[in-house]
Amino acid sequence: MSDWLLYLIIAGVLAFAASSWWGVRRLKARHVRSAVWEETHSPGLGRQKVAVVLNPIKAKSAEARALIEDACLEAGWERPRFFDTTAEDPGFSQAREALGYGADVVLAGGGDGTVRVVAEVLAGSDTAMGLIPLGTGNLLARNVHLDVYDLPGNVQTALFGHQRFIDTARMRVENSRTGGSTEHTFLVIAGIGMDAEVVGDTNDGLKKAVGWLAYTEAGVRHLPGRRKKVSIALDDQPEQTRKIRSVLFANCGLIPGGIDFIPQAMIDDGMLDVVVMSPRSAIGWLAMYWKILLKHKRNLPVMSYYRSGKITIRCAEPMPTQLDGDPSGEATRVTIQVAPGSLLIRVKDGTETD
């Protein structure tokens, strides 16, 4: 059987999965995290100063603004202060202004990019972050068990919910060809290789039309391709050389569609779960797909798992990278470091963890 025929089969399987996404997303993901997740606690504040970093181009941004204002007014609090993001500044200066304002809680209203930027500024502080998911993936919100389709409920949680600390991670991206380097925080999953190619090549119009399912179309187009040689070092241990299609660094593992992509990844264990994917052909991709979908525990030669607090990857030629679903440039070296318990976030009272 040729690879292209297998790719068509995989595309058919993915299409079938996509067609049933409504039912899938309504299923409760099965987590086994009760040994790690800390209990939530009340902020203990009678009155709060509320700041909101809001992406005004999101479809429900006006509704979110009105709900937040009404909730603060009804609680007898000061009027919330809004800081709108722009194309030039996705939230860095706005989040810093919110801290300077003295906010007790900063609400991040937007997609994964807005949440990630606000978290980068708030990490290491005592100021809590509330989540108002308005994007396509809403990855962190899913991983702390918020209903991303319940905007009024999320506003209530962000303003009046309990809170807890979670880990964040930072990835430094260096490109020896250009001499450039950047370093940013991520909250859910970062990666290098094919996953970043898919993120960068997903059609924006399709994403607006069908949401996260747009990534499926780009994923199928990028299945063919060659493996690339990289060196991987975990926690400053000796490097190992691997041929890979993609390497993922997971702080937590729930993705859209109710799929727990990396079930062992826990958001507050002080570690990152590293997934090295190295399929040679469509057969390898198909095996990986079924392992993830059916939660098989059997090991696959083309899919290796590791746990580490620090990871360094070097590659001879630049490879694309991504942070929580946003392209983050090409790299010949990436360094990823976890920051345990560095971010305080608002969650539901007594959030379920299994």
Side-chain angles (χ1 to χ4, degrees):
M1 184 181 294
S2 71
D3 271 3
W4 278 108
L5 181 56
L6 279 172
Y7 289 133
L8 288 175
I9 293 172
I10 293 174
V13 171
L14 293 175
F16 174 77
S19 69
S20 61
W21 73 277
W22 177 260
V24 172
R25 75 174 179 85
R26 295 174 66 89
L27 296 176
K28 182 180 179 182
R30 297 180 181 273
H31 299 270
V32 183
R33 296 187 167 98
S34 57
V36 175
W37 279 63
E38 69 173 60
E39 293 183 3
T40 65
H41 60 275
S42 171
L45 298 172
R47 295 175 62 87
Q48 298 183 85
K49 292 179 71 173
V50 177
V52 186
V53 177
L54 184 67
N55 185 340
I57 70 171
K58 293 299 182 181
K60 292 189 175 183
S61 61
E63 182 183 352
R65 187 187 298 264
L67 286 169
I68 294 166
E69 287 181 333
D70 290 347
C72 290
L73 178 64
E74 188 173 335
W77 299 347
E78 292 181 38
R79 186 184 184 90
R81 186 167 295 187
F82 290 86
F83 302 90
D84 287 353
T85 66
T86 64
E88 297 73 27
D89 189 339
F92 289 107
S93 66
Q94 294 87 341
R96 286 191 286 267
E97 287 182 59
L99 280 179
Y101 166 61
D104 297 300
V105 60
V106 178
L107 276 54
D112 293 313
T114 303
V115 171
R116 183 175 55 79
V117 167
V118 173
E120 181 166 330
V121 175
L122 297 186
S125 75
D126 293 326
T127 302
M129 181 173 75
L131 301 176
I132 310 296
L134 303 174
T136 302
N138 303 309
L139 296 175
L140 182 61
R142 296 175 191 272
N143 279 276
V144 294
H145 309 287
L146 297 182
D147 181 350
V148 298
Y149 304 98
D150 180 11
L151 180 56
N154 290 327
V155 169
Q156 291 295 307
T157 297
L159 293 175
F160 309 108
H162 280 206
Q163 55 194 34
R164 59 179 300 251
F165 286 97
I166 65 170
D167 301 339
T168 64
R170 290 184 69 82
M171 182 164 77
R172 182 172 180 80
V173 176
E174 301 173 69
N175 189 329
S176 61
R177 299 281 181 88
T178 65
S181 67
T182 60
E183 184 173 345
H184 289 296
T185 292
F186 68 94
L187 302 166
V188 182
I189 300 177
I192 182 170
M194 178 187 160
D195 63 295
E197 294 173 357
V198 171
V199 165
D201 198 28
T202 298
N203 183 281
D204 288 335
L206 189 60
K207 194 191 302 188
K208 289 180 181 178
V210 300
W212 62 267
L213 292 176
Y215 294 106
T216 301
E217 182 271 338
V220 171
R221 285 192 284 110
H222 282 271
L223 284 177
R226 65 182 181 87
R227 300 185 303 167
K228 296 182 180 179
K229 183 181 291 186
V230 302
S231 68
I232 304 173
L234 305 175
D235 284 331
D236 296 317
Q237 296 298 309
E239 295 181 340
Q240 54 177 297
T241 301
R242 298 287 300 273
K243 286 187 176 181
I244 62 98
R245 288 297 307 277
S246 186
V247 182
L248 299 176
F249 321 102
N251 190 35
C252 46
L254 189 64
I255 60 175
I259 299 171
D260 211 350
F261 185 69
I262 307 172
Q264 62 270 40
M266 296 179 250
I267 204 169
D268 61 355
D269 62 353
M271 300 291 284
L272 294 172
D273 288 78
V274 184
V275 184
V276 180
M277 297 184 288
S278 54
R280 295 172 180 268
S281 66
I283 295 175
W285 285 117
L286 191 59
M288 287 168 48
Y289 175 79
W290 283 114
K291 176 179 172 63
I292 293 166
L293 189 67
L294 301 178
K295 297 183 176 14
H296 283 316
K297 294 184 179 180
R298 186 177 137 201
N299 292 329
L300 292 176
V302 296
M303 194 174 191
S304 303
Y305 294 87
Y306 306 90
R307 303 190 77 238
S308 180
K310 180 181 179 181
I311 307 100
T312 302
I313 293 185
R314 304 172 189 265
C315 41
E317 56 184 287
M319 296 177 65
T321 64
Q322 62 86 14
L323 297 161
D324 288 347
D326 288 329
S328 49
E330 292 195 330
T332 54
R333 173 187 170 117
V334 294
T335 306
I336 304 92
Q337 178 83 51
V338 69
S342 53
L343 181 65
L344 185 63
I345 64 167
R346 290 283 168 87
V347 293
K348 291 180 181 179
D349 182 359
T351 297
E352 295 295 330
T353 60
D354 53 34

